[in-house]
Amino acid sequence: MPAQVETCVLGWAHEYPAHVSVTTLSQFDGHTVYAVTVTGPSAGGSVKPGLLCAVPHAHEPAGTAACMSVLCQLITGQTLEGEPSKHDVVAIRNGVVVTIIPDANPGGRARAPVDAWDGMQYTNEEFLACAFGVDARSGQRFPRPNRWRVGELEASRLGIVWEQVGADTYVEPNRDPGSSLFRLTRQLSAERTYNRWLDLYQTEFEGTDRNCQVLLPVTQDELPPPIRDENQTWGHEITQAWEALGARPAPPQALGYTGSQRDYFVTLWGEHYRRTPEVSTEVQNNRASTPPQTQRDLQEAAIWVSIEGLLRNPR
């Protein structure tokens, strides 16, 4: 939850200033979004490759738990549970730059009724009503516009997904350039080059026995061959790590939006996809068959694969 993230981040920044820096951004509702950058000294002044990892959606908390676990190990050398990290965190700090946004919409996350979705307390429909809200006029699940204003739409329950960006205006973070996610990643990208972007998402995988998948950009087949090939290889590496943990991954595939939804994502992200390798994870949410600890483990594995792949093969 946001207060836990804030306590850890500020504590790490104070205790480990040699290899931790923090960039902040204030949301309209007063919450603070944190981007934590971890790195060590550069060899011979060389420019190190960078990974940018973010959790865009407030109703998908496993990525945040995974981010905090990875950050704790990279910074302190220990897990959140106090055990020694199994990863060579000194080599990672000296070889790459890792920037993590563990929660891009703390204002939304603060509205969550639970810390994690275990599939035991809420049916899928109840969960989705928490995530997106309830329409005051119809009593049905709230629609999913990219941006909306009070008056145009009315919510009897405000969904967790929405970020307030004005007195009467709300956005979905990965779909609007006014969101904290867009604003903060633009700021970070202006300060340094990131060679990989990793976005951590969750979905329910209804109607299938799968519980995780790597999604490639919607324009994957149109990307320059080096970018396209790295996305594909990276996605398979994450999938193999999940299989080793006993997960049930679907094969990596491009985001399947069509029509206006596809056009919107191309407009927002198209040029970025052409310049930078990027993949997204989807880990099952709100299902008893994938409990919260497993959700966190799968997201954490994806982050480590992403870091260590960049360390082996810097671009």
Side-chain angles (χ1 to χ4, degrees):
M1 295 297 279
Q4 295 169 299
V5 169
E6 183 171 72
T7 297
C8 287
V9 167
L10 295 181
W12 289 330
H14 176 74
E15 191 170 353
Y16 301 93
H19 52 262
V20 178
S21 60
V22 178
T23 305
T24 62
L25 186 150
S26 296
Q27 294 188 297
F28 180 84
D29 65 5
H31 286 87
T32 300
V33 184
Y34 292 95
V36 185
T37 297
V38 184
T39 193
S42 298
S46 60
V47 177
K48 293 187 285 189
L51 171 75
L52 179 59
C53 175
V55 180
H57 280 154
H59 63 292
E60 298 167 1
T64 300
C67 286
M68 298 304 288
S69 177
V70 170
L71 283 171
C72 186
Q73 292 175 67
L74 287 177
I75 295 167
T76 72
Q78 295 186 326
T79 67
L80 287 167
E81 293 75 26
E83 298 295 325
S85 175
K86 297 178 181 178
H87 302 271
D88 189 344
V89 298
V90 174
I92 291 171
R93 291 200 304 258
N94 291 341
V96 298
V97 177
V98 179
T99 298
I100 293 179
I101 304 173
D103 181 1
N105 183 16
R109 179 70 56 76
R111 295 193 293 272
V114 292
D115 291 353
W117 305 93
D118 61 8
M120 305 293 288
Q121 301 178 68
Y122 295 85
T123 67
N124 193 54
E125 201 53 45
E126 290 169 340
F127 161 69
L128 292 173
C130 289
F132 295 100
V134 175
D135 184 83
R137 295 163 182 167
S138 69
Q140 302 300 309
R141 191 195 310 168
F142 201 76
R144 195 175 178 180
N146 304 317
R147 170 182 285 250
W148 59 277
R149 297 181 63 186
V150 177
E152 300 170 347
L153 294 170
E154 297 286 349
S156 60
R157 175 194 291 175
L158 181 61
I160 300 165
V161 71
W162 306 112
E163 177 185 354
Q164 187 175 10
V165 296
D168 61 355
T169 305
Y170 294 83
V171 302
E172 185 171 346
N174 67 331
R175 295 173 179 238
D176 192 278
S179 70
S180 296
L181 175 70
F182 268 83
R183 292 162 54 209
L184 189 51
T185 54
R186 280 197 300 265
Q187 178 181 341
L188 293 165
S189 296
E191 296 169 355
R192 64 167 46 89
T193 297
Y194 289 99
N195 306 82
R196 282 184 166 185
W197 282 42
L198 175 66
D199 288 326
L200 306 179
Y201 291 98
Q202 294 190 260
T203 191
E204 290 67 65
F205 286 97
E206 287 188 278
T208 174
D209 64 350
R210 306 292 190 169
N211 69 344
C212 50
Q213 185 175 30
V214 173
L215 291 180
L216 310 176
V218 69
T219 56
Q220 169 71 6
D221 293 340
E222 305 161 24
L223 297 177
I227 303 291
R228 184 181 66 223
D229 293 347
E230 181 166 352
N231 289 346
Q232 192 71 40
T233 299
W234 180 11
H236 281 296
E237 289 173 348
I238 293 173
T239 301
Q240 290 171 350
W242 285 340
E243 289 172 340
L245 291 173
R248 306 181 301 280
Q253 67 176 33
L255 183 66
Y257 286 144
T258 60
S260 61
Q261 283 291 310
R262 184 185 191 280
D263 293 343
Y264 190 75
F265 266 74
V266 171
T267 298
L268 284 181
W269 294 104
E271 281 305 308
H272 165 70
Y273 292 149
R274 290 185 60 81
R275 296 192 307 268
T276 308
E278 177 167 358
V279 303
S280 299
T281 60
E282 291 279 8
V283 169
Q284 192 168 51
N285 204 4
N286 199 48
R287 282 290 184 277
S289 59
T290 308
Q293 182 63 52
T294 302
Q295 296 172 30
R296 170 185 142 177
D297 290 346
L298 296 178
Q299 296 284 37
E300 185 172 339
I303 302 172
W304 287 119
V305 166
S306 303
I307 293 171
E308 291 168 351
L310 190 57
L311 185 64
R312 287 194 311 271
N313 300 299
R315 293 179 64 249

